[in-house]
Amino acid sequence: MVVVTGQSKASATPDDAMSSSDAEDDFQEPATPTATQAGQALPLLPQQFPEVVPLNVGGMFFTTRLSTLRRYEDTMLAAMFSGRHYIPTDAEGRYFIDRDGTYFGDILNFLRSGDLPPRERVRSVYKEAQYYSIGPLLDNLEDIQPLKGEKVRQAFLGLMPYYKDHLERIIEIAKLRATQRKARFAKLKVCVFKEEMPITPYECPHFNSLRFERSESEAKLFEHHCEVDVSFGPWEAVADVYDLLHCIVTDLSARGIAVDHQCIGVCDKHLVNHYYCKRPIYEFKITWW
């Protein structure tokens, strides 16, 4: 390859020619468009928008006023249509937003008149409101069901040490066992206990005194690990074992995992004197297909 600079092809001399390797060292294709190319490809800023704005959101068409999109200043939509940013248009001249438009109508309805979506769409609209950074909509959605209840549930789970890690462990163990056995499902043992102190029915009257007055050395006598795959607890809250079981099943189901569980007994491990562990043991069945 011969590259000539400053002269026409006809007037080039052998001394002016460069080898192919030299030319490749001196000439490189720009990785990004030059300023001149960018100026030809994109319109000059600020971009001007009409009062009535046609939109194409992921292939779904909407029409709204510019003032609606700019209703709240600290949102992504207000920034996009502020004129400071270039918004591409489709073949019909609609301003294109590369986002699933399924719930964009709910976003517009809130910006227009403060309307909130029906309960079955609250979670999905909340996700879109997060993407578009619409703070007032997020606040309103968090104050209604099911998100209000979810906040209460998360407050309870916040008391549970390593809750998310234990969920991951359940999934990993069930997957490994099903894979090793080439089975459709896998079973594992899960302990869920609210109280730290082991008790039996006839020991209940002594429970409080033993719990609060035992020495550190005596406390170690009651420390043990049940022979299970995963153990949840203890915690201090009104919510009981069945509430936590509901949370576990709900969170696994939300990840598309089919799970059944049943109580198969208690640990019943001897600790000291006449004290035995009475933590309930549950069998979890994870079905993969």
Side-chain angles (χ1 to χ4, degrees):
M1 179 180 71
V2 177
V3 178
V4 179
T5 59
Q7 298 182 8
S8 66
K9 180 178 182 181
S11 61
T13 64
D15 293 338
D16 297 324
M18 294 186 296
S19 67
S20 175
S21 60
D22 292 338
E24 290 175 356
D25 291 338
D26 293 345
F27 179 80
Q28 296 182 356
E29 187 70 21
T32 57
T34 63
T36 302
Q37 292 171 329
Q40 294 173 350
L42 302 178
L44 297 177
L45 298 179
Q47 187 175 11
Q48 300 296 321
F49 297 100
E51 180 60 29
V52 177
V53 182
L55 298 170
N56 178 345
V57 184
M60 300 183 67
F61 306 142
F62 303 89
T63 304
T64 189
R65 297 186 64 180
L66 182 61
S67 59
T68 298
L69 297 172
R70 297 175 176 175
R71 177 63 54 84
Y72 298 104
E73 294 181 357
D74 296 331
T75 68
M76 179 185 292
L77 288 173
M80 291 172 65
F81 290 91
S82 65
R84 301 189 303 269
H85 307 281
Y86 172 71
I87 309 297
T89 56
D90 63 13
E92 302 298 326
R94 305 182 187 92
Y95 294 96
F96 181 72
I97 299 176
D98 193 11
R99 181 77 176 175
D100 188 347
T102 303
Y103 303 102
F104 191 75
D106 293 300
I107 297 294
L108 284 182
N109 286 337
F110 177 79
L111 295 176
R112 287 165 175 157
S113 55
D115 292 342
L116 298 176
R119 178 171 178 172
E120 62 270 16
R121 296 206 300 268
V122 165
R123 292 183 185 274
S124 298
V125 176
Y126 186 83
K127 182 178 179 180
E128 294 304 296
Q130 287 179 313
Y131 176 78
Y132 292 111
S133 301
I134 306 176
L137 178 54
L138 292 172
D139 292 340
N140 277 271
L141 293 176
E142 288 175 355
D143 201 38
I144 62 176
Q145 289 286 59
L147 295 183
K148 191 176 184 66
E150 181 62 17
K151 291 179 66 176
V152 176
R153 190 177 82 98
Q154 290 299 328
F156 161 58
L157 292 179
L159 303 174
M160 198 64 49
Y162 310 111
Y163 175 76
K164 292 183 179 179
D165 293 337
H166 291 339
L167 285 183
E168 293 298 330
R169 181 165 174 77
I170 288 176
I171 296 172
E172 291 175 3
I173 293 174
K175 180 180 178 181
L176 180 61
R177 288 181 180 171
T179 302
Q180 289 176 337
R181 301 172 184 176
K182 309 299 188 292
R184 179 168 173 253
F185 61 87
K187 294 181 179 180
L188 60 159
K189 293 181 180 180
V190 178
C191 177
V192 182
F193 65 102
K194 180 178 180 180
E195 303 292 351
E196 182 179 6
M197 184 71 178
I199 60 173
T200 57
Y202 56 87
E203 295 157 357
C204 285
H206 307 289
F207 174 74
N208 288 333
S209 61
L210 287 170
R211 181 180 184 184
F212 294 106
E213 296 179 7
R214 54 184 175 160
S215 65
E216 182 177 350
S217 59
E218 292 173 334
K220 291 183 178 180
L221 296 175
F222 293 93
E223 293 179 358
H224 80 290
H225 298 284
C226 302
E227 296 180 359
V228 295
D229 298 297
V230 183
S231 185
F232 293 84
W235 68 89
E236 294 184 4
V238 174
D240 58 20
V241 169
Y242 299 102
D243 295 320
L244 182 58
L245 285 170
H246 181 273
C247 290
I248 296 172
V249 173
T250 297
D251 290 333
L252 290 175
S253 299
R255 299 180 59 172
I257 298 174
V259 54
D260 295 306
H261 68 279
Q262 62 177 344
C263 184
I264 58 175
V266 296
C267 175
D268 209 29
K269 181 178 180 180
H270 179 255
L271 300 177
V272 59
N273 296 332
H274 56 281
Y275 287 92
Y276 294 82
C277 175
K278 294 301 178 182
R279 296 171 180 171
I281 307 298
Y282 295 85
E283 181 182 76
F284 274 55
K285 179 181 178 182
I286 306 294
T287 304
W288 290 107
W289 81 86

